């Protein structure tokens, strides 16, 4: 047995003997040490008193509870006992290195590479609280290949698996926390946030990583402010009494609290929290306001905890009411609460941490007769942990304690597998004290990496490929009460093992917001949202989250808030007045059921009946002189063609179909050609009849039905050829015009070839012009034979109607264009019918005495 001793000025430790020893470096206290000059043997000299953090004592208790639970369970390590040796890191690199070496050496003196006490069989080490302490430990433990299970939230940017193969972490990868923050901001549509970090490398890493992820998801950072550590803070502000709001430093950080920005993402490591608390303290003191008047939503990382230290026990924490934080996943462990309730100053012999915890937590002194100390406020031992505020101690297991609890069980179960795997080790179990060389510690790694079990709380514990816990983070809502107590409310979780799209869950109904928001969801945008019907327009010189809102142009909509661009409606739809919805377009065509269609249909039928009536009158009076004198057959042909002209107008009413489009213009052209040809034939017949009565005239042989029929056939044949060419080359077809009208689809007959259409109209115009010209020159013939005056006037009406038809036809579309053509057909047909036949009907019906041969022989 080695007899070397080296008493330490800081003897705080906790030791329990066992067959297998688990080492632990916890962070129970903080302190400042002197510089080492190396002019004498290094000694540990404090330059300030120890600053305890009572809340972290639960980490010690969770390890002790887990070891107790394992030793009492004969199924985990039968015939073996588990012990531990716990040291404090004091949040100091030198002390972390020293105490890690103590774990590797004896209990009393650091003697590297020598084991003076074969009873100390260190199998694994748990620690530390943050990445810096963890890596200080890892640099030494990795040499001996001793498994180290850390419970720090983050680690530096390095490949831990390859560089530190003995390093494990009982916490999920930090990237899942970053993703959780992004999911949380996206869930509440918070796109304008501030980031607060500490002024160190870790804060720089946090800000750089998070800002990149936020930018990729369309979230802007209003600012990224670095909070100096407490020493820098006090150096910059010097004495509190000399602080003024005009102080540049003070003004800089006061702007954080007076800004209209509502959402702050805080990298909640100890330095950042301490600096922020002092900043809030200075602000409330100088501005003469209360912390409750600072209404912000704080989004904290998993490092956040109301632990701090006893210096901060009097800080008002109401400002953090309603804060949201990601936390190391934890669950309620059965029996742990009872274990805590049985704790008192004399319950754990050998626990040097218990005394310092008890004294600082309850603000009393544990009486010790050996020291002869006298203190008015003596601890009675009957103090209750549950009476402590949550800032000093919590009865429910925190995420860090839960990680330590799982780490102890993981080591124990890995040991169980290893000892079960080696029969020789099982046979040696009755020795109780088993020596395991360092190389056998290395053999524990395969079993530790593959460990997978359900703990007593029902959670699965296993490591992923990166030696990190395959788990997630809880989302906690902090409810702060006026008496400085608080309540953790689990409102969601970030679980990377969940199904895609289900990794982030949140129950926002259970969230309590800061009282300044009156339980209304806070809004965090650079400017007001662009509502449906508007799109975002970039502001020059501003982040992409800051924008103006412009209304959508005609024919485009935006149906969601903050759309980057308006979407064009499909051709068959149009945008409503609010530009936020596409409505189906109505079909636009001249229907039989609408007023205009009904009116035109009634006119068509009325004029058709009138034409039939006129035809009946002429047939009834077919043997009278006035009917015979005006070429009875031509009269019948003209009346029938006019009747068909009226009826062909019905082809233009109703939804255009392929057949109706074929028949519309073709029938119109052919029928009107017959009608105008009949008028032309009648005009020529009148002229020839007059010329034939002249003495010695040879025109008598041209007067007769043969000439009239030839004129009609010749004129109609030319129009038929034009229509045939039209149908064979580019016939009319149904067409949907989506663009002419905003809210309607124009259903029309496309003429196919507009040239052929105007050829048909042009030919009709040519025939009408010839008829008008011939009738005009024959208008002064003797009245007995003269129909030319009536034909002249009828052709004048015909030509006027169709010349007037062209401008409105070209300038209108849809049903009104069709109505213009129908009106032109009806007007020109009525002109022919009225001007040519109504005078004769007047004589035949009202003046029958004029319908005689004697009257026909009269001369002017």
């Amino acid at each position: 047995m080695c007899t070397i001793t080296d008493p330490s000025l800081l003897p705080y430790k906790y030791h329990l003997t066992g067959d297998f020893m688990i080492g632990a470096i916890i962070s129970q206290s903080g302190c400042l040490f002197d510089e080492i000059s190396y002019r004498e043997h290094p000694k540990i000299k404090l330059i300030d008193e120890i600053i305890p953090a009572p809340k972290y004592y639960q980490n010690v208790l969770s390890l002790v509870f887990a070891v107790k639970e394992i030793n009492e369970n004969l199924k985990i390590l039968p015939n073996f006992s588990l012990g531990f040796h716990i040291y404090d890191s004091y949040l100091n690199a030198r002390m972390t290195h020293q105490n890690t070496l103590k774990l590797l050496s004896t209990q009393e003196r650091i003697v590297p590479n020598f084991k003076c006490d074969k009873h100390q069989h260190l199998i694994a080490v748990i620690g530390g609280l943050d990445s810096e302490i963890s890596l200080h430990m890892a640099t030494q433990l990795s040499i001996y290949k001793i498994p180290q299970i850390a419970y720090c939230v983050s680690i530096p940017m390095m490949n831990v698996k390859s560089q530190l193969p003995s390093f494990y972490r009982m916490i999920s990868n930090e990237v899942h926390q970053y993703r959780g923050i992004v999911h949380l901001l996206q869930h509440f549509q918070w796109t304008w946030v501030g980031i607060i970090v500490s002024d160190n490398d870790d804060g720089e890493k946090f800000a750089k990583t998070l800002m990149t992820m936020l930018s990729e998801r369309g979230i802007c950072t209003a600012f990224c402010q670095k909070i100096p550590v407490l020493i820098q803070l006090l150096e910059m502000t010097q004495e509190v009494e000399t602080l003024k709001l005009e102080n540049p430093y003070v003004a800089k950080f006061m702007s954080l609290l007076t800004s209209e920005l509502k959402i702050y993402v805080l990298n909640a490591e100890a330095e950042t929290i301490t600096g922020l608390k002092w900043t809030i303290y200075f602000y409330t003191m100088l501005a003469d306001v209360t912390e409750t008047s600072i209404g912000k939503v704080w989004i904290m990382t998993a490092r956040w905890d109301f632990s701090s230290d006893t210096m901060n026990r009097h800080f008002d924490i109401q400002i953090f009411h309603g804060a949201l934080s990601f936390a190391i996943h934890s669950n309620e462990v059965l029996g742990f609460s009872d274990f805590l309730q049985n704790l008192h100053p004399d319950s754990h012999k050998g626990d040097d941490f218990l005394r310092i915890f008890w004294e600082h937590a309850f603000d009393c002194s544990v009486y010790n007769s050996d020291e002869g100390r006298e203190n008015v406020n003596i601890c009675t031992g009957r103090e209750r942990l549950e009476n402590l505020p949550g800032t000093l101690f919590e009865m429910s297991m925190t995420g860090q304690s839960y990680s330590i609890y799982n780490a102890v069980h993981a080591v124990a179960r890995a040991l169980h597998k290893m000892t079960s795997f080696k029969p020789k080790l099982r046979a040696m179990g009755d020795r109780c004290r088993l020596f395991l060389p360092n190389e056998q510690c290395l053999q524990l790694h395969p079993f530790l990496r593959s460990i997978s079990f359900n703990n007593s709380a029902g959670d699965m514990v296993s490591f992923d490929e990166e030696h990190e816990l395959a788990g997630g983070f809880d989302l906690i809502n902090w409810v702060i009460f006026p008496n400085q107590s608080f309540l953790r409310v689990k409102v969601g979780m970030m679980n990377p093992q969940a199904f895609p799209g289900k990794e982030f869950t949140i129950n926002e109904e259970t969230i309590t917001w800061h009282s300044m928001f009156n339980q209304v969801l806070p809004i965090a945008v650079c400017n007001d949202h662009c509502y449906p019907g508007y799109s975002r327009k970039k502001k020059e010189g501003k982040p992409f989250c800051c924008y103006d809102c412009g209304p959508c142009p005609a024919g485009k909509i935006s149906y969601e808030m903050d759309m980057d661009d308006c979407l064009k409606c499909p051709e068959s739809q149009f945008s409503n007045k609010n530009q936020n919805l596409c409505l189906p377009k109505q079909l636009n065509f001249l229907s039989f059921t609408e007023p205009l269609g009904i009116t035109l249909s009634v006119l068509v039928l009325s004029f058709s009946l009138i034409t039939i009536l006129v035809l009946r009158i002429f047939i009834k009076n077919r043997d009278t002189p006035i009917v015979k004198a005006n070429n009875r057959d031509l009269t019948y042909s003209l009346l029938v063609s006019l009747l068909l002209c009226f009826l062909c107008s019905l082809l233009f009413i109703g939804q255009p179909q392929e057949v109706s489009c074929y028949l519309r213009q073709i029938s119109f052209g052919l029928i009107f050609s017959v009608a105008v040809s009949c008028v032309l034939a009648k005009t020529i017949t009148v002229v020839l009849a007059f010329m034939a009565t002249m003495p010695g005239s040879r025109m008598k042989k041209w007067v007769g039905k043969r000439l009239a029929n030839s004129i009609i056939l010749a004129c109609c044949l030319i129009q038929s050829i034009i229509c045939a060419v039209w149908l064979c080359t580019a016939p009319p077809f149904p067409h949907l015009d989506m663009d002419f009208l905003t809210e309607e689809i124009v259903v029309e007959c496309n003429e196919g070839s507009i040239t052929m259409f105007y050829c048909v109209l042009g030919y009709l115009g040519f025939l009408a012009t010839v008829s008008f010209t011939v009738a005009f020159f024959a208008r002064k013939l003797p009245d007995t034979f003269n129909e030319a005056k009536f034909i002249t006037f009828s052709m004048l009406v015909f030509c006027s109607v169709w010349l007037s038809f062209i401008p409105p036809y070209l300038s209108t579309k849809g049903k009104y264009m069709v109505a213009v053509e129908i009106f032109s057909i009806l007007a020109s047909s009525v002109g022919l019918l009225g001007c040519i036949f109504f005078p004769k009907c007047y004589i035949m019906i009202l003046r029958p005495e004029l319908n005689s041969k004697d009257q026909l022989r009269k001369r002017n």
Side-chain angles (χ1 to χ4, degrees), residues 686-687 690 773-790 792 859-860:
V686 169
V687 173
F690 175 76
T773 303
V774 174
F776 179 78
F777 287 112
R779 71 187 186 285
K780 293 185 178 180
L781 292 176
D783 287 341
T784 305
F785 301 96
N786 197 358
E787 258 189 319
K789 289 183 179 180
F790 303 119
T792 300
R859 298 285 193 273
N860 288 334

PDB file of all heavy atoms in Angstrom, residues 686-687 690 773-790 792 859-860:
ATOM      1  N   VAL A 686     -87.174  44.779-114.903  1.00  0.00           N
ATOM      2  CA  VAL A 686     -87.930  46.022-115.056  1.00  0.00           C
ATOM      3  C   VAL A 686     -87.335  46.869-116.173  1.00  0.00           C
ATOM      4  O   VAL A 686     -88.061  47.416-117.030  1.00  0.00           O
ATOM      5  CB  VAL A 686     -87.941  46.813-113.720  1.00  0.00           C
ATOM      6  CG1 VAL A 686     -88.479  48.214-113.936  1.00  0.00           C
ATOM      7  CG2 VAL A 686     -88.770  46.078-112.688  1.00  0.00           C
ATOM      8  N   VAL A 687     -86.004  46.967-116.192  1.00  0.00           N
ATOM      9  CA  VAL A 687     -85.350  47.777-117.214  1.00  0.00           C
ATOM     10  C   VAL A 687     -85.598  47.187-118.601  1.00  0.00           C
ATOM     11  O   VAL A 687     -85.950  47.892-119.574  1.00  0.00           O
ATOM     12  CB  VAL A 687     -83.844  47.892-116.931  1.00  0.00           C
ATOM     13  CG1 VAL A 687     -83.128  48.600-118.076  1.00  0.00           C
ATOM     14  CG2 VAL A 687     -83.621  48.639-115.620  1.00  0.00           C
ATOM     15  N   PHE A 690     -89.186  47.655-119.833  1.00  0.00           N
ATOM     16  CA  PHE A 690     -89.439  48.997-120.349  1.00  0.00           C
ATOM     17  C   PHE A 690     -88.827  49.153-121.740  1.00  0.00           C
ATOM     18  O   PHE A 690     -89.448  49.712-122.649  1.00  0.00           O
ATOM     19  CB  PHE A 690     -88.842  50.038-119.392  1.00  0.00           C
ATOM     20  CG  PHE A 690     -88.951  51.430-119.921  1.00  0.00           C
ATOM     21  CD1 PHE A 690     -90.166  52.120-119.898  1.00  0.00           C
ATOM     22  CD2 PHE A 690     -87.836  52.060-120.479  1.00  0.00           C
ATOM     23  CE1 PHE A 690     -90.247  53.416-120.389  1.00  0.00           C
ATOM     24  CE2 PHE A 690     -87.934  53.333-120.979  1.00  0.00           C
ATOM     25  CZ  PHE A 690     -89.145  54.033-120.943  1.00  0.00           C
ATOM     26  N   THR A 773     -77.221  50.333-108.319  1.00  0.00           N
ATOM     27  CA  THR A 773     -76.875  51.183-109.463  1.00  0.00           C
ATOM     28  C   THR A 773     -77.914  51.064-110.571  1.00  0.00           C
ATOM     29  O   THR A 773     -78.381  52.072-111.120  1.00  0.00           O
ATOM     30  CB  THR A 773     -75.479  50.786-110.001  1.00  0.00           C
ATOM     31  OG1 THR A 773     -74.524  50.888-108.927  1.00  0.00           O
ATOM     32  CG2 THR A 773     -75.070  51.703-111.133  1.00  0.00           C
ATOM     33  N   VAL A 774     -78.259  49.815-110.904  1.00  0.00           N
ATOM     34  CA  VAL A 774     -79.250  49.607-111.974  1.00  0.00           C
ATOM     35  C   VAL A 774     -80.583  50.207-111.583  1.00  0.00           C
ATOM     36  O   VAL A 774     -81.251  50.894-112.379  1.00  0.00           O
ATOM     37  CB  VAL A 774     -79.393  48.107-112.275  1.00  0.00           C
ATOM     38  CG1 VAL A 774     -80.527  47.876-113.294  1.00  0.00           C
ATOM     39  CG2 VAL A 774     -78.084  47.550-112.798  1.00  0.00           C
ATOM     40  N   ALA A 775     -80.983  49.967-110.323  1.00  0.00           N
ATOM     41  CA  ALA A 775     -82.273  50.500-109.871  1.00  0.00           C
ATOM     42  C   ALA A 775     -82.253  52.017-109.822  1.00  0.00           C
ATOM     43  O   ALA A 775     -83.271  52.680-110.084  1.00  0.00           O
ATOM     44  CB  ALA A 775     -82.600  49.928-108.493  1.00  0.00           C
ATOM     45  N   PHE A 776     -81.097  52.596-109.483  1.00  0.00           N
ATOM     46  CA  PHE A 776     -81.002  54.052-109.396  1.00  0.00           C
ATOM     47  C   PHE A 776     -81.217  54.705-110.757  1.00  0.00           C
ATOM     48  O   PHE A 776     -81.929  55.697-110.875  1.00  0.00           O
ATOM     49  CB  PHE A 776     -79.622  54.431-108.834  1.00  0.00           C
ATOM     50  CG  PHE A 776     -79.416  55.914-108.729  1.00  0.00           C
ATOM     51  CD1 PHE A 776     -79.984  56.641-107.684  1.00  0.00           C
ATOM     52  CD2 PHE A 776     -78.688  56.599-109.698  1.00  0.00           C
ATOM     53  CE1 PHE A 776     -79.791  58.011-107.598  1.00  0.00           C
ATOM     54  CE2 PHE A 776     -78.505  57.962-109.602  1.00  0.00           C
ATOM     55  CZ  PHE A 776     -79.049  58.686-108.548  1.00  0.00           C
ATOM     56  N   PHE A 777     -80.620  54.119-111.787  1.00  0.00           N
ATOM     57  CA  PHE A 777     -80.785  54.694-113.130  1.00  0.00           C
ATOM     58  C   PHE A 777     -82.179  54.424-113.712  1.00  0.00           C
ATOM     59  O   PHE A 777     -82.601  55.115-114.636  1.00  0.00           O
ATOM     60  CB  PHE A 777     -79.720  54.145-114.082  1.00  0.00           C
ATOM     61  CG  PHE A 777     -78.345  54.719-113.812  1.00  0.00           C
ATOM     62  CD1 PHE A 777     -77.326  53.916-113.310  1.00  0.00           C
ATOM     63  CD2 PHE A 777     -78.078  56.060-114.040  1.00  0.00           C
ATOM     64  CE1 PHE A 777     -76.072  54.444-113.057  1.00  0.00           C
ATOM     65  CE2 PHE A 777     -76.831  56.583-113.776  1.00  0.00           C
ATOM     66  CZ  PHE A 777     -75.810  55.779-113.284  1.00  0.00           C
ATOM     67  N   ALA A 778     -82.855  53.408-113.142  1.00  0.00           N
ATOM     68  CA  ALA A 778     -84.194  53.086-113.666  1.00  0.00           C
ATOM     69  C   ALA A 778     -85.308  53.658-112.814  1.00  0.00           C
ATOM     70  O   ALA A 778     -86.488  53.362-113.047  1.00  0.00           O
ATOM     71  CB  ALA A 778     -84.344  51.559-113.756  1.00  0.00           C
ATOM     72  N   ARG A 779     -84.939  54.490-111.842  1.00  0.00           N
ATOM     73  CA  ARG A 779     -85.941  54.971-110.903  1.00  0.00           C
ATOM     74  C   ARG A 779     -86.960  55.898-111.531  1.00  0.00           C
ATOM     75  O   ARG A 779     -88.053  56.075-110.997  1.00  0.00           O
ATOM     76  CB  ARG A 779     -85.247  55.681-109.735  1.00  0.00           C
ATOM     77  CG  ARG A 779     -84.636  57.025-110.082  1.00  0.00           C
ATOM     78  CD  ARG A 779     -83.840  57.585-108.931  1.00  0.00           C
ATOM     79  NE  ARG A 779     -83.355  58.936-109.172  1.00  0.00           N
ATOM     80  CZ  ARG A 779     -82.353  59.262-109.957  1.00  0.00           C
ATOM     81  NH1 ARG A 779     -81.686  58.300-110.595  1.00  0.00           N
ATOM     82  NH2 ARG A 779     -81.996  60.526-110.136  1.00  0.00           N
ATOM     83  N   LYS A 780     -86.640  56.547-112.718  1.00  0.00           N
ATOM     84  CA  LYS A 780     -87.539  57.522-113.338  1.00  0.00           C
ATOM     85  C   LYS A 780     -88.341  56.934-114.490  1.00  0.00           C
ATOM     86  O   LYS A 780     -88.935  57.648-115.278  1.00  0.00           O
ATOM     87  CB  LYS A 780     -86.736  58.713-113.831  1.00  0.00           C
ATOM     88  CG  LYS A 780     -86.114  59.526-112.689  1.00  0.00           C
ATOM     89  CD  LYS A 780     -85.422  60.767-113.210  1.00  0.00           C
ATOM     90  CE  LYS A 780     -84.845  61.590-112.071  1.00  0.00           C
ATOM     91  NZ  LYS A 780     -84.161  62.817-112.539  1.00  0.00           N
ATOM     92  N   LEU A 781     -88.304  55.610-114.581  1.00  0.00           N
ATOM     93  CA  LEU A 781     -89.141  54.966-115.598  1.00  0.00           C
ATOM     94  C   LEU A 781     -90.614  55.175-115.247  1.00  0.00           C
ATOM     95  O   LEU A 781     -90.943  55.441-114.085  1.00  0.00           O
ATOM     96  CB  LEU A 781     -88.812  53.481-115.667  1.00  0.00           C
ATOM     97  CG  LEU A 781     -87.403  53.124-116.206  1.00  0.00           C
ATOM     98  CD1 LEU A 781     -87.179  51.633-116.131  1.00  0.00           C
ATOM     99  CD2 LEU A 781     -87.221  53.645-117.621  1.00  0.00           C
ATOM    100  N   PRO A 782     -91.501  55.055-116.231  1.00  0.00           N
ATOM    101  CA  PRO A 782     -92.935  55.267-115.958  1.00  0.00           C
ATOM    102  C   PRO A 782     -93.423  54.399-114.801  1.00  0.00           C
ATOM    103  O   PRO A 782     -92.998  53.248-114.659  1.00  0.00           O
ATOM    104  CB  PRO A 782     -93.606  54.894-117.290  1.00  0.00           C
ATOM    105  CG  PRO A 782     -92.557  55.141-118.311  1.00  0.00           C
ATOM    106  CD  PRO A 782     -91.251  54.802-117.672  1.00  0.00           C
ATOM    107  N   ASP A 783     -94.340  54.977-114.012  1.00  0.00           N
ATOM    108  CA  ASP A 783     -94.779  54.319-112.781  1.00  0.00           C
ATOM    109  C   ASP A 783     -95.426  52.969-113.024  1.00  0.00           C
ATOM    110  O   ASP A 783     -95.386  52.106-112.137  1.00  0.00           O
ATOM    111  CB  ASP A 783     -95.784  55.212-112.048  1.00  0.00           C
ATOM    112  CG  ASP A 783     -95.096  56.410-111.402  1.00  0.00           C
ATOM    113  OD1 ASP A 783     -93.845  56.366-111.213  1.00  0.00           O
ATOM    114  OD2 ASP A 783     -95.819  57.348-111.090  1.00  0.00           O
ATOM    115  N   THR A 784     -95.994  52.762-114.189  1.00  0.00           N
ATOM    116  CA  THR A 784     -96.716  51.518-114.433  1.00  0.00           C
ATOM    117  C   THR A 784     -95.778  50.331-114.335  1.00  0.00           C
ATOM    118  O   THR A 784     -96.122  49.293-113.778  1.00  0.00           O
ATOM    119  CB  THR A 784     -97.378  51.542-115.830  1.00  0.00           C
ATOM    120  OG1 THR A 784     -98.194  52.687-115.907  1.00  0.00           O
ATOM    121  CG2 THR A 784     -98.194  50.292-116.054  1.00  0.00           C
ATOM    122  N   PHE A 785     -94.608  50.495-114.831  1.00  0.00           N
ATOM    123  CA  PHE A 785     -93.649  49.381-114.798  1.00  0.00           C
ATOM    124  C   PHE A 785     -92.610  49.534-113.678  1.00  0.00           C
ATOM    125  O   PHE A 785     -91.754  48.697-113.530  1.00  0.00           O
ATOM    126  CB  PHE A 785     -92.905  49.318-116.153  1.00  0.00           C
ATOM    127  CG  PHE A 785     -93.829  49.131-117.325  1.00  0.00           C
ATOM    128  CD1 PHE A 785     -94.251  50.229-118.063  1.00  0.00           C
ATOM    129  CD2 PHE A 785     -94.286  47.864-117.676  1.00  0.00           C
ATOM    130  CE1 PHE A 785     -95.093  50.049-119.143  1.00  0.00           C
ATOM    131  CE2 PHE A 785     -95.132  47.703-118.769  1.00  0.00           C
ATOM    132  CZ  PHE A 785     -95.537  48.790-119.500  1.00  0.00           C
ATOM    133  N   ASN A 786     -92.628  50.604-112.962  1.00  0.00           N
ATOM    134  CA  ASN A 786     -91.467  50.981-112.158  1.00  0.00           C
ATOM    135  C   ASN A 786     -91.535  50.440-110.730  1.00  0.00           C
ATOM    136  O   ASN A 786     -92.280  50.937-109.907  1.00  0.00           O
ATOM    137  CB  ASN A 786     -91.324  52.481-112.118  1.00  0.00           C
ATOM    138  CG  ASN A 786     -89.925  52.893-111.658  1.00  0.00           C
ATOM    139  OD1 ASN A 786     -89.131  52.034-111.362  1.00  0.00           O
ATOM    140  ND2 ASN A 786     -89.686  54.179-111.625  1.00  0.00           N
ATOM    141  N   GLU A 787     -90.730  49.371-110.484  1.00  0.00           N
ATOM    142  CA  GLU A 787     -90.390  48.919-109.122  1.00  0.00           C
ATOM    143  C   GLU A 787     -89.037  49.477-108.721  1.00  0.00           C
ATOM    144  O   GLU A 787     -88.576  49.261-107.607  1.00  0.00           O
ATOM    145  CB  GLU A 787     -90.297  47.374-109.082  1.00  0.00           C
ATOM    146  CG  GLU A 787     -91.514  46.705-108.474  1.00  0.00           C
ATOM    147  CD  GLU A 787     -91.284  45.223-108.261  1.00  0.00           C
ATOM    148  OE1 GLU A 787     -90.694  44.559-109.132  1.00  0.00           O
ATOM    149  OE2 GLU A 787     -91.661  44.724-107.170  1.00  0.00           O
ATOM    150  N   ALA A 788     -88.387  50.154-109.630  1.00  0.00           N
ATOM    151  CA  ALA A 788     -87.001  50.569-109.421  1.00  0.00           C
ATOM    152  C   ALA A 788     -86.855  51.533-108.250  1.00  0.00           C
ATOM    153  O   ALA A 788     -85.842  51.514-107.549  1.00  0.00           O
ATOM    154  CB  ALA A 788     -86.462  51.206-110.696  1.00  0.00           C
ATOM    155  N   LYS A 789     -87.863  52.394-108.038  1.00  0.00           N
ATOM    156  CA  LYS A 789     -87.764  53.312-106.902  1.00  0.00           C
ATOM    157  C   LYS A 789     -87.695  52.557-105.574  1.00  0.00           C
ATOM    158  O   LYS A 789     -86.874  52.872-104.706  1.00  0.00           O
ATOM    159  CB  LYS A 789     -88.955  54.258-106.890  1.00  0.00           C
ATOM    160  CG  LYS A 789     -88.926  55.293-107.998  1.00  0.00           C
ATOM    161  CD  LYS A 789     -90.121  56.235-107.869  1.00  0.00           C
ATOM    162  CE  LYS A 789     -90.078  57.302-108.981  1.00  0.00           C
ATOM    163  NZ  LYS A 789     -91.251  58.223-108.870  1.00  0.00           N
ATOM    164  N   PHE A 790     -88.563  51.576-105.439  1.00  0.00           N
ATOM    165  CA  PHE A 790     -88.572  50.777-104.204  1.00  0.00           C
ATOM    166  C   PHE A 790     -87.296  49.944-104.051  1.00  0.00           C
ATOM    167  O   PHE A 790     -86.736  49.810-102.952  1.00  0.00           O
ATOM    168  CB  PHE A 790     -89.808  49.877-104.170  1.00  0.00           C
ATOM    169  CG  PHE A 790     -91.095  50.636-104.293  1.00  0.00           C
ATOM    170  CD1 PHE A 790     -91.959  50.409-105.360  1.00  0.00           C
ATOM    171  CD2 PHE A 790     -91.441  51.591-103.343  1.00  0.00           C
ATOM    172  CE1 PHE A 790     -93.137  51.109-105.462  1.00  0.00           C
ATOM    173  CE2 PHE A 790     -92.631  52.286-103.457  1.00  0.00           C
ATOM    174  CZ  PHE A 790     -93.478  52.059-104.524  1.00  0.00           C
ATOM    175  N   THR A 792     -84.410  50.682-105.379  1.00  0.00           N
ATOM    176  CA  THR A 792     -83.321  51.614-105.082  1.00  0.00           C
ATOM    177  C   THR A 792     -83.257  51.924-103.595  1.00  0.00           C
ATOM    178  O   THR A 792     -82.181  51.868-102.960  1.00  0.00           O
ATOM    179  CB  THR A 792     -83.520  52.918-105.871  1.00  0.00           C
ATOM    180  OG1 THR A 792     -83.534  52.629-107.264  1.00  0.00           O
ATOM    181  CG2 THR A 792     -82.395  53.901-105.559  1.00  0.00           C
ATOM    182  N   ARG A 859    -100.305  56.230-117.844  1.00  0.00           N
ATOM    183  CA  ARG A 859     -98.971  56.812-117.947  1.00  0.00           C
ATOM    184  C   ARG A 859     -98.965  58.136-117.183  1.00  0.00           C
ATOM    185  O   ARG A 859     -99.983  58.806-117.070  1.00  0.00           O
ATOM    186  CB  ARG A 859     -98.613  57.110-119.425  1.00  0.00           C
ATOM    187  CG  ARG A 859     -98.578  55.854-120.310  1.00  0.00           C
ATOM    188  CD  ARG A 859     -97.308  55.060-120.000  1.00  0.00           C
ATOM    189  NE  ARG A 859     -97.092  54.045-121.025  1.00  0.00           N
ATOM    190  CZ  ARG A 859     -97.649  52.823-120.953  1.00  0.00           C
ATOM    191  NH1 ARG A 859     -98.456  52.526-119.963  1.00  0.00           N
ATOM    192  NH2 ARG A 859     -97.387  51.962-121.916  1.00  0.00           N
ATOM    193  N   ASN A 860     -97.841  58.484-116.696  1.00  0.00           N
ATOM    194  CA  ASN A 860     -97.709  59.802-116.091  1.00  0.00           C
ATOM    195  C   ASN A 860     -97.711  60.853-117.190  1.00  0.00           C
ATOM    196  O   ASN A 860     -97.027  60.685-118.182  1.00  0.00           O
ATOM    197  CB  ASN A 860     -96.430  59.898-115.280  1.00  0.00           C
ATOM    198  CG  ASN A 860     -96.564  59.062-113.997  1.00  0.00           C
ATOM    199  OD1 ASN A 860     -97.678  58.864-113.534  1.00  0.00           O
ATOM    200  ND2 ASN A 860     -95.442  58.598-113.477  1.00  0.00           N
TER     201      ASN A 860
END
